[in-house]
Amino acid sequence: MDHNLCRDNLSAYLDGELPQQERAQLETHLAGCPECRAVLGQLGTVSGIFKKHAMEPVPLSLKGEVLGGRAKPAPYPWFKPVLALSAVAAGVFVVLNLSRSPEQVPLMQMSRNNAFESLQKGLSSASGRLSKNAGPEDAGSSAAGLYAESDKKAQAQPSPAAAATRGAYGQAKYARTRGFGGSSLAGGAGSGMSGVASMPSAPARARLAAYAVDSLAGLQVRDGTILRVTGTAGDCVDRMLSGSGEAGPPGGCHLNGRERTVVLDNFDANPYRGSEITVEGAAKYCSEEGRRFLCALENVSLIYPAPPNK
Amino acid sequence: MDAEELFEKFSPMVYNLALRLSGNKSDAQDIAQDAFLKAVRGLANLRVHSTAGTWLYRITMNVWKNRVRSEKRRSFWKTFSLDWGRDGDDEAPALQIQAPDDPVDAAIEKREEKEALEKALAQLDPEDRVMLVLREIDGRSYAEIAGITDKPLGTVKSGISRAREALRQKMSGLVQDNGS
Protein backbone atom coordinates (compact mmCIF):
# COMPACT_ATOMS: atom_id res chain seq x y z
CA MET A 1 0.00 0.00 0.00
CA ASP A 2 1.47 3.34 -0.97
CA HIS A 3 1.97 6.21 1.42
CA ASN A 4 -1.00 8.35 0.36
CA LEU A 5 -3.38 5.40 0.37
CA CYS A 6 -2.14 4.51 3.82
CA ARG A 7 -2.83 8.01 5.07
CA ASP A 8 -6.34 7.88 3.61
CA ASN A 9 -7.06 4.61 5.39
CA LEU A 10 -5.60 5.35 8.81
CA SER A 11 -8.91 6.49 10.28
CA ALA A 12 -10.75 3.42 9.03
CA TYR A 13 -7.92 1.27 10.39
CA LEU A 14 -8.25 2.94 13.77
CA ASP A 15 -11.97 2.10 13.70
CA GLY A 16 -11.42 -1.51 12.65
CA GLU A 17 -13.31 -0.90 9.45
CA LEU A 18 -10.71 -2.04 6.93
CA PRO A 19 -11.18 -5.39 5.18
CA GLN A 20 -8.58 -7.96 6.20
CA GLN A 21 -6.44 -7.68 3.09
CA GLU A 22 -6.24 -3.88 3.23
CA ARG A 23 -5.51 -4.04 6.94
CA ALA A 24 -2.58 -6.36 6.33
CA GLN A 25 -1.21 -4.12 3.58
CA LEU A 26 -1.52 -1.06 5.77
CA GLU A 27 0.22 -2.74 8.68
CA THR A 28 3.06 -3.69 6.39
CA HIS A 29 3.40 -0.06 5.34
CA LEU A 30 3.19 1.19 8.93
CA ALA A 31 6.05 -1.07 9.94
CA GLY A 32 8.32 0.88 7.62
CA CYS A 33 6.83 4.41 7.84
CA PRO A 34 7.45 6.43 11.04
CA GLU A 35 5.45 9.35 9.65
CA CYS A 36 2.31 7.26 9.22
CA ARG A 37 2.84 5.74 12.63
CA ALA A 38 3.03 9.21 14.15
CA VAL A 39 -0.12 10.33 12.38
CA LEU A 40 -1.91 7.19 13.53
CA GLY A 41 -0.94 7.98 17.10
CA GLN A 42 -2.19 11.54 16.76
CA LEU A 43 -5.47 10.34 15.31
CA GLY A 44 -5.85 8.14 18.32
CA THR A 45 -5.23 11.14 20.58
CA VAL A 46 -7.85 13.13 18.67
CA SER A 47 -10.25 10.25 19.17
CA GLY A 48 -9.55 10.24 22.89
CA ILE A 49 -10.01 13.99 23.25
CA PHE A 50 -13.24 13.76 21.30
CA LYS A 51 -14.61 10.98 23.49
CA LYS A 52 -13.64 12.93 26.59
CA HIS A 53 -15.10 16.29 25.69
CA ALA A 54 -17.55 16.08 22.82
CA MET A 55 -20.68 15.23 24.78
CA GLU A 56 -22.61 18.12 26.29
CA PRO A 57 -25.14 17.51 29.06
CA VAL A 58 -28.77 17.47 28.03
CA PRO A 59 -30.57 20.65 29.12
CA LEU A 60 -32.90 19.95 32.02
CA SER A 61 -35.76 21.74 30.33
CA LEU A 62 -35.71 19.39 27.33
CA LYS A 63 -37.28 16.54 29.24
CA GLY A 64 -40.19 18.69 30.34
CA GLU A 65 -40.66 19.98 26.83
CA VAL A 66 -40.73 16.52 25.35
CA LEU A 67 -42.63 14.57 27.99
CA GLY A 68 -44.75 17.48 29.12
CA GLY A 69 -45.97 17.84 25.54
CA ARG A 70 -45.74 21.58 25.63
CA ALA A 71 -46.70 23.23 22.37
CA LYS A 72 -43.91 24.94 20.57
CA PRO A 73 -44.22 28.54 19.61
CA ALA A 74 -45.26 29.07 16.02
CA PRO A 75 -42.29 29.12 13.65
CA TYR A 76 -43.67 32.35 12.19
CA PRO A 77 -44.62 34.48 15.18
CA TRP A 78 -44.34 37.54 12.95
CA PHE A 79 -47.33 36.48 10.94
CA LYS A 80 -49.72 39.16 12.10
CA PRO A 81 -51.03 41.19 9.25
CA VAL A 82 -51.84 44.87 9.25
CA LEU A 83 -54.21 46.47 6.84
CA ALA A 84 -52.30 48.03 3.99
CA LEU A 85 -50.99 47.00 0.60
CA SER A 86 -47.72 45.35 -0.22
CA ALA A 87 -44.72 46.38 -2.28
CA VAL A 88 -42.96 44.33 -4.91
CA ALA A 89 -41.11 41.32 -3.55
CA ALA A 90 -38.27 39.37 -5.13
CA GLY A 91 -38.90 35.78 -4.25
CA VAL A 92 -41.89 33.56 -4.00
CA PHE A 93 -42.78 31.52 -0.97
CA VAL A 94 -45.34 28.81 -1.02
CA VAL A 95 -46.72 26.67 1.71
CA LEU A 96 -49.12 24.13 0.37
CA ASN A 97 -52.68 24.24 1.49
CA LEU A 98 -53.81 20.72 1.00
CA SER A 99 -57.10 19.15 0.27
CA ARG A 100 -57.78 15.97 2.21
CA SER A 101 -56.76 13.64 -0.54
CA PRO A 102 -54.17 15.33 -2.66
CA GLU A 103 -53.38 13.83 -6.00
CA GLN A 104 -49.83 12.79 -6.48
CA VAL A 105 -49.18 14.01 -9.96
CA PRO A 106 -46.22 15.96 -11.25
CA LEU A 107 -48.45 18.99 -11.63
CA MET A 108 -49.87 19.49 -8.19
CA GLN A 109 -53.01 21.52 -7.82
CA MET A 110 -54.09 22.47 -4.39
CA SER A 111 -57.28 24.21 -3.60
CA ARG A 112 -59.17 25.07 -0.54
CA ASN A 113 -62.45 23.26 -0.59
CA ASN A 114 -64.34 26.38 0.24
CA ALA A 115 -62.60 28.31 -2.48
CA PHE A 116 -63.76 25.75 -4.97
CA GLU A 117 -67.26 25.83 -3.57
CA SER A 118 -67.48 29.58 -3.83
CA LEU A 119 -66.16 29.42 -7.37
CA GLN A 120 -68.71 26.82 -8.32
CA LYS A 121 -71.45 28.81 -6.70
CA GLY A 122 -70.41 31.91 -8.53
CA LEU A 123 -70.17 30.17 -11.86
CA SER A 124 -73.56 28.67 -11.54
CA SER A 125 -75.08 32.09 -11.13
CA ALA A 126 -75.82 34.36 -14.02
CA SER A 127 -72.73 35.46 -15.88
CA GLY A 128 -71.63 39.01 -15.44
CA ARG A 129 -68.73 41.21 -14.71
CA LEU A 130 -67.36 41.79 -11.29
CA SER A 131 -68.69 44.93 -9.78
CA LYS A 132 -66.50 47.62 -8.38
CA ASN A 133 -67.15 46.58 -4.84
CA ALA A 134 -67.16 42.84 -5.28
CA GLY A 135 -66.82 40.97 -2.02
CA PRO A 136 -65.67 37.44 -1.37
CA GLU A 137 -69.07 36.05 -2.19
CA ASP A 138 -68.68 37.33 -5.69
CA ALA A 139 -65.26 35.88 -6.09
CA GLY A 140 -66.60 32.91 -7.89
CA SER A 141 -68.62 34.91 -10.35
CA SER A 142 -68.83 33.67 -13.85
CA ALA A 143 -65.47 32.96 -15.29
CA ALA A 144 -66.66 34.34 -18.55
CA GLY A 145 -67.38 37.63 -16.88
CA LEU A 146 -64.10 37.62 -15.02
CA TYR A 147 -62.01 36.89 -18.01
CA ALA A 148 -63.81 39.36 -20.15
CA GLU A 149 -63.11 41.96 -17.50
CA SER A 150 -59.52 40.86 -17.43
CA ASP A 151 -59.26 41.25 -21.13
CA LYS A 152 -60.28 44.87 -20.86
CA LYS A 153 -57.97 45.54 -17.96
CA ALA A 154 -54.98 44.00 -19.66
CA GLN A 155 -54.85 46.86 -22.08
CA ALA A 156 -54.43 49.34 -19.28
CA GLN A 157 -51.83 47.45 -17.30
CA PRO A 158 -48.18 47.14 -18.16
CA SER A 159 -46.76 43.71 -18.81
CA PRO A 160 -44.14 42.80 -16.30
CA ALA A 161 -41.04 41.14 -17.61
CA ALA A 162 -40.70 38.27 -15.26
CA ALA A 163 -44.15 36.78 -14.98
CA ALA A 164 -46.13 34.82 -17.50
CA THR A 165 -49.88 34.87 -17.78
CA ARG A 166 -52.30 32.12 -18.50
CA GLY A 167 -55.65 32.32 -20.10
CA ALA A 168 -58.60 30.08 -20.40
CA TYR A 169 -56.52 27.08 -21.33
CA GLY A 170 -54.65 27.20 -18.04
CA GLN A 171 -57.83 27.08 -16.03
CA ALA A 172 -59.27 24.34 -18.16
CA LYS A 173 -56.20 22.20 -17.69
CA TYR A 174 -56.37 22.78 -13.98
CA ALA A 175 -60.01 21.85 -13.83
CA ARG A 176 -59.69 18.67 -15.85
CA THR A 177 -56.66 17.38 -14.00
CA ARG A 178 -58.12 18.06 -10.61
CA GLY A 179 -61.28 16.23 -11.52
CA PHE A 180 -63.58 19.04 -10.69
CA GLY A 181 -65.73 18.48 -13.72
CA GLY A 182 -63.96 20.72 -16.11
CA SER A 183 -66.89 21.89 -18.11
CA SER A 184 -68.37 23.66 -15.14
CA LEU A 185 -65.23 25.59 -14.45
CA ALA A 186 -63.42 28.29 -16.23
CA GLY A 187 -62.11 27.25 -19.56
CA GLY A 188 -64.38 24.31 -20.10
CA ALA A 189 -66.23 23.85 -23.33
CA GLY A 190 -69.50 24.95 -21.95
CA SER A 191 -68.35 27.85 -19.91
CA GLY A 192 -68.37 30.54 -22.51
CA MET A 193 -64.68 31.09 -22.27
CA SER A 194 -63.77 30.38 -25.80
CA GLY A 195 -63.62 33.95 -26.94
CA VAL A 196 -61.10 35.13 -24.38
CA ALA A 197 -57.74 35.81 -25.86
CA SER A 198 -55.55 37.08 -23.05
CA MET A 199 -55.27 37.66 -19.36
CA PRO A 200 -53.99 40.65 -17.47
CA SER A 201 -50.31 40.52 -16.75
CA ALA A 202 -49.09 39.58 -13.31
CA PRO A 203 -46.77 41.81 -11.34
CA ALA A 204 -43.14 41.26 -12.24
CA ARG A 205 -42.27 39.57 -9.00
CA ALA A 206 -44.62 37.96 -6.59
CA ARG A 207 -44.54 36.02 -3.43
CA LEU A 208 -47.01 33.50 -2.24
CA ALA A 209 -47.34 31.55 0.93
CA ALA A 210 -49.98 29.05 1.84
CA TYR A 211 -50.21 27.07 5.01
CA ALA A 212 -51.10 23.46 4.95
CA VAL A 213 -53.77 22.44 7.38
CA ASP A 214 -53.03 18.75 7.18
CA SER A 215 -49.92 16.67 7.26
CA LEU A 216 -48.21 16.09 3.98
CA ALA A 217 -47.58 12.42 4.61
CA GLY A 218 -47.76 10.61 1.33
CA LEU A 219 -47.62 13.72 -0.78
CA GLN A 220 -44.53 13.72 -2.91
CA VAL A 221 -43.57 17.30 -3.29
CA ARG A 222 -39.94 18.05 -3.73
CA ASP A 223 -37.77 20.71 -5.28
CA GLY A 224 -38.84 21.19 -8.85
CA THR A 225 -42.40 19.93 -8.41
CA ILE A 226 -44.79 22.31 -10.13
CA LEU A 227 -47.25 23.64 -7.60
CA ARG A 228 -50.47 25.41 -8.32
CA VAL A 229 -52.55 26.94 -5.56
CA THR A 230 -55.96 28.48 -5.97
CA GLY A 231 -58.14 30.44 -3.66
CA THR A 232 -59.93 33.69 -3.08
CA ALA A 233 -57.81 36.70 -2.26
CA GLY A 234 -58.78 38.10 1.07
CA ASP A 235 -57.45 40.94 3.15
CA CYS A 236 -54.24 42.44 1.95
CA VAL A 237 -51.41 43.31 4.26
CA ASP A 238 -48.44 45.52 3.99
CA ARG A 239 -45.85 43.88 6.14
CA MET A 240 -45.94 41.00 8.53
CA LEU A 241 -45.34 41.86 12.15
CA SER A 242 -43.57 39.85 14.77
CA GLY A 243 -45.19 39.19 18.10
CA SER A 244 -43.35 42.21 19.44
CA GLY A 245 -44.53 44.37 16.59
CA GLU A 246 -41.26 44.27 14.68
CA ALA A 247 -41.73 44.55 10.94
CA GLY A 248 -40.99 41.43 9.04
CA PRO A 249 -41.04 40.39 5.43
CA PRO A 250 -43.31 42.18 3.03
CA GLY A 251 -46.89 41.06 3.25
CA GLY A 252 -49.53 40.46 0.71
CA CYS A 253 -53.09 39.38 0.24
CA HIS A 254 -54.37 36.34 2.04
CA LEU A 255 -56.08 33.80 -0.10
CA ASN A 256 -59.40 32.99 1.47
CA GLY A 257 -58.87 35.79 3.90
CA ARG A 258 -57.42 33.63 6.59
CA GLU A 259 -53.94 33.65 8.00
CA ARG A 260 -53.64 29.94 7.70
CA THR A 261 -54.33 29.75 4.06
CA VAL A 262 -52.40 31.51 1.38
CA VAL A 263 -50.68 34.82 1.49
CA LEU A 264 -50.24 36.45 -1.86
CA ASP A 265 -47.54 38.98 -1.83
CA ASN A 266 -46.85 41.76 -4.19
CA PHE A 267 -50.34 42.66 -5.14
CA ASP A 268 -50.20 46.36 -5.14
CA ALA A 269 -53.86 47.00 -5.53
CA ASN A 270 -56.67 46.23 -3.14
CA PRO A 271 -58.95 45.25 -5.99
CA TYR A 272 -57.50 41.76 -5.79
CA ARG A 273 -59.48 41.24 -2.68
CA GLY A 274 -62.29 38.88 -3.46
CA SER A 275 -60.75 37.66 -6.69
CA GLU A 276 -60.15 34.06 -7.47
CA ILE A 277 -56.44 33.67 -7.90
CA THR A 278 -54.24 30.81 -8.96
CA VAL A 279 -50.50 30.83 -8.68
CA GLU A 280 -48.17 28.33 -10.26
CA GLY A 281 -44.46 27.80 -9.88
CA ALA A 282 -41.67 25.35 -9.12
CA ALA A 283 -41.19 24.30 -5.51
CA LYS A 284 -37.86 25.04 -3.86
CA TYR A 285 -36.43 24.46 -0.37
CA CYS A 286 -39.48 22.45 0.69
CA SER A 287 -39.63 21.10 4.19
CA GLU A 288 -42.16 20.05 6.76
CA GLU A 289 -42.54 22.14 9.89
CA GLY A 290 -44.99 20.68 12.30
CA ARG A 291 -48.30 20.39 10.51
CA ARG A 292 -47.24 22.72 7.78
CA PHE A 293 -45.35 22.12 4.62
CA LEU A 294 -43.52 25.09 3.27
CA CYS A 295 -41.85 25.77 -0.03
CA ALA A 296 -40.46 28.74 -1.78
CA LEU A 297 -41.74 29.11 -5.31
CA GLU A 298 -39.64 30.03 -8.31
CA ASN A 299 -40.62 31.24 -11.73
CA VAL A 300 -44.06 32.07 -10.59
CA SER A 301 -46.97 32.51 -12.95
CA LEU A 302 -50.11 34.19 -11.80
CA ILE A 303 -53.48 33.22 -13.11
CA TYR A 304 -56.20 35.51 -11.97
CA PRO A 305 -59.08 37.48 -13.11
CA ALA A 306 -58.74 41.17 -13.27
CA PRO A 307 -59.51 43.12 -10.16
CA PRO A 308 -62.99 44.54 -9.98
CA ASN A 309 -63.61 48.03 -11.29
CA LYS A 310 -62.94 50.74 -8.80
CA MET B 1 -40.66 1.13 25.15
CA ASP B 2 -42.55 4.21 26.23
CA ALA B 3 -41.78 7.86 25.66
CA GLU B 4 -39.95 8.30 28.92
CA GLU B 5 -37.73 5.27 28.34
CA LEU B 6 -36.98 6.50 24.86
CA PHE B 7 -36.00 9.89 26.22
CA GLU B 8 -33.89 8.55 29.09
CA LYS B 9 -31.99 6.20 26.84
CA PHE B 10 -31.43 8.36 23.80
CA SER B 11 -31.62 12.00 24.81
CA PRO B 12 -27.85 12.42 25.33
CA MET B 13 -27.08 11.22 21.81
CA VAL B 14 -30.01 12.97 20.19
CA TYR B 15 -29.18 16.26 21.87
CA ASN B 16 -25.50 15.99 21.01
CA LEU B 17 -26.21 15.03 17.43
CA ALA B 18 -28.46 18.06 17.21
CA LEU B 19 -25.75 20.20 18.79
CA ARG B 20 -23.07 19.05 16.37
CA LEU B 21 -25.40 19.53 13.43
CA SER B 22 -26.66 22.97 14.34
CA GLY B 23 -23.58 24.32 16.07
CA ASN B 24 -25.51 26.04 18.86
CA LYS B 25 -27.39 24.98 21.97
CA SER B 26 -30.60 26.85 21.30
CA ASP B 27 -31.18 25.24 17.92
CA ALA B 28 -29.97 21.93 19.28
CA GLN B 29 -32.68 21.96 21.94
CA ASP B 30 -35.34 22.82 19.36
CA ILE B 31 -34.15 20.08 17.02
CA ALA B 32 -33.96 17.52 19.81
CA GLN B 33 -37.43 18.44 21.02
CA ASP B 34 -38.87 18.18 17.53
CA ALA B 35 -37.15 14.87 16.96
CA PHE B 36 -38.48 13.38 20.17
CA LEU B 37 -41.98 14.66 19.57
CA LYS B 38 -41.98 13.07 16.12
CA ALA B 39 -40.55 9.87 17.55
CA VAL B 40 -43.11 9.70 20.34
CA ARG B 41 -45.90 10.12 17.80
CA GLY B 42 -44.48 7.24 15.79
CA LEU B 43 -43.54 5.03 18.72
CA ALA B 44 -46.51 2.75 18.27
CA ASN B 45 -45.23 1.81 14.83
CA LEU B 46 -41.74 0.93 16.06
CA ARG B 47 -41.68 -2.85 15.91
CA VAL B 48 -38.08 -3.65 16.77
CA HIS B 49 -36.81 -1.79 19.80
CA SER B 50 -33.21 -2.57 19.05
CA THR B 51 -33.45 -0.23 16.09
CA ALA B 52 -34.92 2.62 18.12
CA GLY B 53 -31.61 4.47 18.27
CA THR B 54 -30.99 4.32 14.55
CA TRP B 55 -34.54 5.38 13.88
CA LEU B 56 -34.38 8.27 16.31
CA TYR B 57 -31.05 9.50 15.00
CA ARG B 58 -32.45 9.51 11.48
CA ILE B 59 -35.38 11.57 12.65
CA THR B 60 -32.94 13.99 14.26
CA MET B 61 -30.99 14.31 11.00
CA ASN B 62 -34.19 14.94 9.06
CA VAL B 63 -35.40 17.57 11.50
CA TRP B 64 -32.09 19.36 11.10
CA LYS B 65 -32.21 19.13 7.31
CA ASN B 66 -35.70 20.60 7.32
CA ARG B 67 -34.50 23.48 9.42
CA VAL B 68 -31.64 24.15 7.03
CA ARG B 69 -34.11 24.24 4.14
CA SER B 70 -36.38 26.48 6.12
CA GLU B 71 -33.55 28.93 6.72
CA LYS B 72 -32.66 28.90 3.05
CA ARG B 73 -36.28 29.63 2.27
CA ARG B 74 -36.39 32.51 4.70
CA SER B 75 -33.19 33.87 3.23
CA PHE B 76 -35.10 33.89 -0.02
CA TRP B 77 -37.21 36.67 1.45
CA LYS B 78 -34.48 38.90 2.72
CA THR B 79 -34.30 41.20 -0.25
CA PHE B 80 -36.42 43.86 1.31
CA SER B 81 -35.57 43.47 4.91
CA LEU B 82 -31.92 42.73 5.22
CA ASP B 83 -31.97 42.85 8.99
CA TRP B 84 -34.87 40.50 9.30
CA GLY B 85 -33.88 37.17 10.56
CA ARG B 86 -34.27 34.88 13.48
CA ASP B 87 -34.78 36.57 16.76
CA GLY B 88 -34.10 35.27 20.19
CA ASP B 89 -31.59 32.69 19.11
CA ASP B 90 -28.77 32.14 21.50
CA GLU B 91 -25.32 32.57 20.12
CA ALA B 92 -22.62 30.12 21.13
CA PRO B 93 -20.65 31.66 24.01
CA ALA B 94 -17.39 33.27 23.04
CA LEU B 95 -14.35 31.13 23.72
CA GLN B 96 -12.44 32.18 26.79
CA ILE B 97 -8.75 31.79 26.06
CA GLN B 98 -6.45 32.05 29.05
CA ALA B 99 -3.39 34.27 29.03
CA PRO B 100 -0.36 32.06 28.36
CA ASP B 101 1.42 33.08 31.55
CA ASP B 102 -1.43 31.98 33.81
CA PRO B 103 -0.67 29.03 36.04
CA VAL B 104 -1.75 25.82 34.42
CA ASP B 105 -3.46 23.11 36.38
CA ALA B 106 -5.42 20.06 35.43
CA ALA B 107 -8.78 21.82 35.34
CA ILE B 108 -7.45 24.61 33.15
CA GLU B 109 -5.70 22.14 30.88
CA LYS B 110 -8.92 20.19 30.53
CA ARG B 111 -10.82 23.34 29.69
CA GLU B 112 -8.23 24.34 27.12
CA GLU B 113 -8.49 20.92 25.56
CA LYS B 114 -12.27 21.22 25.38
CA GLU B 115 -12.14 24.73 23.98
CA ALA B 116 -9.64 23.70 21.34
CA LEU B 117 -11.88 20.81 20.38
CA GLU B 118 -14.99 23.04 20.17
CA LYS B 119 -13.16 25.60 18.09
CA ALA B 120 -11.90 22.92 15.73
CA LEU B 121 -15.29 21.21 15.53
CA ALA B 122 -16.99 24.48 14.64
CA GLN B 123 -15.02 24.57 11.41
CA LEU B 124 -16.07 21.13 10.25
CA ASP B 125 -18.95 20.28 8.01
CA PRO B 126 -22.01 19.52 10.19
CA GLU B 127 -22.54 16.08 8.70
CA ASP B 128 -18.88 15.16 9.19
CA ARG B 129 -19.24 16.19 12.83
CA VAL B 130 -22.28 14.02 13.25
CA MET B 131 -20.56 11.02 11.69
CA LEU B 132 -17.73 11.45 14.16
CA VAL B 133 -20.16 11.64 17.08
CA LEU B 134 -21.94 8.49 15.95
CA ARG B 135 -18.60 6.71 15.63
CA GLU B 136 -16.74 7.96 18.68
CA ILE B 137 -19.56 8.33 21.19
CA ASP B 138 -22.16 5.83 20.08
CA GLY B 139 -19.71 3.28 18.68
CA ARG B 140 -21.66 2.86 15.47
CA SER B 141 -20.13 0.96 12.59
CA TYR B 142 -19.60 2.73 9.30
CA ALA B 143 -22.47 0.74 7.82
CA GLU B 144 -24.80 1.85 10.61
CA ILE B 145 -23.70 5.44 10.22
CA ALA B 146 -24.38 5.19 6.50
CA GLY B 147 -27.91 4.05 7.31
CA ILE B 148 -28.53 6.82 9.82
CA THR B 149 -27.14 9.62 7.68
CA ASP B 150 -28.45 8.23 4.41
CA LYS B 151 -24.99 8.46 2.86
CA PRO B 152 -22.95 5.85 0.97
CA LEU B 153 -20.42 3.85 2.95
CA GLY B 154 -17.53 5.47 1.09
CA THR B 155 -18.83 8.90 2.05
CA VAL B 156 -18.94 7.89 5.71
CA LYS B 157 -15.40 6.54 5.58
CA SER B 158 -14.04 9.66 3.90
CA GLY B 159 -16.12 11.98 6.12
CA ILE B 160 -14.78 10.49 9.33
CA SER B 161 -11.26 10.45 7.98
CA ARG B 162 -11.56 14.07 6.89
CA ALA B 163 -13.02 15.16 10.23
CA ARG B 164 -10.33 13.44 12.28
CA GLU B 165 -7.55 14.76 10.05
CA ALA B 166 -8.94 18.28 10.31
CA LEU B 167 -9.09 18.01 14.11
CA ARG B 168 -5.58 16.60 14.18
CA GLN B 169 -4.25 19.58 12.27
CA LYS B 170 -6.28 22.23 14.10
CA MET B 171 -5.35 20.85 17.50
CA SER B 172 -1.78 20.08 16.52
CA GLY B 173 -0.30 21.59 19.68
CA LEU B 174 -2.35 19.38 21.97
CA VAL B 175 -2.20 16.33 19.78
CA GLN B 176 1.53 16.32 19.20
CA ASP B 177 2.25 16.75 22.89
CA ASN B 178 0.16 13.72 23.71
CA GLY B 179 0.57 11.60 20.58
CA SER B 180 3.09 8.89 19.99
Side-chain angles (χ1 to χ4, degrees):
Chain A
M1 182 178 281
D2 72 20
H3 184 74
N4 289 334
L5 194 57
C6 174
R7 289 289 297 269
D8 289 343
N9 281 287
L10 283 176
S11 213
Y13 175 72
L14 192 65
D15 292 332
E17 291 277 352
L18 281 186
Q20 188 176 355
Q21 188 177 2
E22 286 179 48
R23 187 169 68 242
Q25 290 171 353
L26 189 141
E27 286 172 348
T28 302
H29 176 87
L30 280 173
C33 183
E35 184 189 337
C36 283
R37 285 202 303 273
V39 171
L40 181 65
Q42 289 163 15
L43 291 177
T45 302
V46 163
S47 176
I49 293 173
F50 194 94
K51 286 182 171 80
K52 201 168 26 166
H53 296 297
M55 288 293 274
E56 293 285 335
V58 178
L60 293 172
S61 55
L62 183 60
K63 183 172 183 177
E65 286 164 5
V66 169
L67 299 178
R70 258 181 263 168
K72 289 187 64 181
Y76 298 96
W78 42 259
F79 203 93
K80 290 192 177 177
V82 287
L83 295 179
L85 301 173
S86 66
V88 173
V92 179
F93 180 72
V94 168
V95 176
L96 294 184
N97 190 355
L98 298 183
S99 62
R100 289 193 180 274
S101 53
E103 297 175 45
Q104 296 180 22
V105 294
L107 179 64
M108 312 293 290
Q109 295 119 15
M110 304 299 158
S111 171
R112 291 284 291 172
N113 287 340
N114 56 355
F116 168 58
E117 283 162 11
S118 81
L119 178 62
Q120 269 200 322
K121 181 181 167 187
L123 287 170
S124 65
S125 64
S127 67
R129 293 161 185 257
L130 285 176
S131 66
K132 183 192 291 193
N133 296 315
E137 65 278 7
D138 294 326
S141 296
S142 160
L146 291 174
Y147 287 121
E149 182 76 4
S150 301
D151 199 18
K152 179 178 168 184
K153 286 288 183 181
Q155 296 169 10
Q157 289 181 355
S159 265
T165 62
R166 301 288 180 90
Y169 174 74
Q171 286 288 10
K173 183 179 175 186
Y174 165 84
R176 282 196 295 276
T177 309
R178 191 68 180 91
F180 285 160
S183 62
S184 68
L185 268 182
S191 69
M193 292 284 305
S194 55
V196 178
S198 66
M199 293 286 289
S201 303
R205 291 169 293 176
R207 198 165 76 204
L208 165 69
Y211 289 97
V213 296
D214 292 311
S215 169
L216 281 182
L219 186 65
Q220 292 170 9
V221 176
R222 49 182 68 88
D223 284 3
T225 300
I226 302 298
L227 304 177
R228 187 183 281 177
V229 185
T230 292
T232 305
D235 290 334
C236 296
V237 305
D238 178 22
R239 185 165 284 268
M240 306 303 172
L241 295 183
S242 69
S244 59
E246 184 182 347
C253 300
H254 292 237
L255 268 190
N256 299 328
R258 288 168 56 188
E259 183 175 323
R260 289 182 66 191
T261 55
V262 178
V263 177
L264 292 173
D265 202 2
N266 190 36
F267 283 91
D268 57 1
N270 212 8
Y272 291 114
R273 180 181 298 169
S275 300
E276 188 69 13
I277 297 176
T278 297
V279 176
E280 179 180 292
K284 188 180 175 76
Y285 302 140
C286 293
S287 69
E288 192 171 336
E289 293 190 6
R291 294 174 65 221
R292 298 181 297 185
F293 188 83
L294 305 110
C295 303
L297 198 65
E298 282 190 312
N299 304 318
V300 66
S301 301
L302 299 177
I303 308 165
Y304 58 91
N309 287 326
K310 288 196 174 180
Chain B
M1 185 182 290
D2 64 18
E4 187 158 0
E5 284 175 282
L6 191 76
F7 184 86
E8 294 301 337
K9 187 168 181 184
F10 295 110
S11 59
M13 272 301 295
V14 167
Y15 175 72
N16 278 276
L17 284 179
L19 182 61
R20 296 308 168 195
L21 284 166
S22 64
N24 73 82
K25 292 183 178 180
S26 175
D27 284 351
Q29 188 157 345
D30 283 346
I31 291 168
Q33 182 186 348
D34 275 350
F36 271 109
L37 291 176
K38 283 184 192 299
V40 165
R41 280 198 294 270
L43 206 51
N45 298 326
L46 181 63
R47 297 185 192 285
V48 183
H49 286 184
S50 61
T51 63
T54 302
W55 170 69
L56 191 42
Y57 302 159
R58 285 207 73 165
I59 292 174
T60 307
M61 294 281 310
N62 287 335
V63 167
W64 170 74
K65 284 176 187 172
N66 276 343
R67 280 184 76 104
V68 168
R69 287 180 151 255
S70 173
E71 285 309 313
K72 282 183 182 173
R73 196 173 52 245
R74 285 178 211 169
S75 295
F76 214 58
W77 286 10
K78 283 186 179 175
T79 306
F80 298 101
S81 187
L82 294 178
D83 295 328
W84 177 256
R86 295 169 292 171
D87 57 77
D89 283 350
D90 295 333
E91 297 277 341
L95 291 176
Q96 298 297 318
I97 307 298
Q98 284 199 340
D101 56 349
D102 280 355
V104 176
D105 61 21
I108 292 171
E109 192 174 330
K110 186 177 175 183
R111 198 174 74 203
E112 281 182 344
E113 207 172 66
K114 182 169 170 60
E115 285 171 356
L117 176 67
E118 292 296 334
K119 194 173 174 185
L121 279 174
Q123 297 174 51
L124 299 185
D125 179 81
E127 290 185 285
D128 285 352
R129 285 198 293 258
V130 154
M131 287 194 267
L132 207 53
V133 169
L134 289 168
R135 173 65 216 157
E136 300 285 22
I137 307 299
D138 213 37
R140 297 280 172 163
S141 69
Y142 286 13
E144 287 173 320
I145 296 170
I148 291 167
T149 59
D150 199 24
K151 303 279 183 195
L153 194 62
T155 303
V156 172
K157 181 184 171 190
S158 60
I160 291 175
S161 176
R162 186 171 51 238
R164 276 208 189 105
E165 179 60 23
L167 292 180
R168 184 185 76 85
Q169 291 186 16
K170 292 177 197 305
M171 298 194 298
S172 56
L174 287 167
V175 165
Q176 281 166 11
D177 285 346
N178 297 333
S180 58

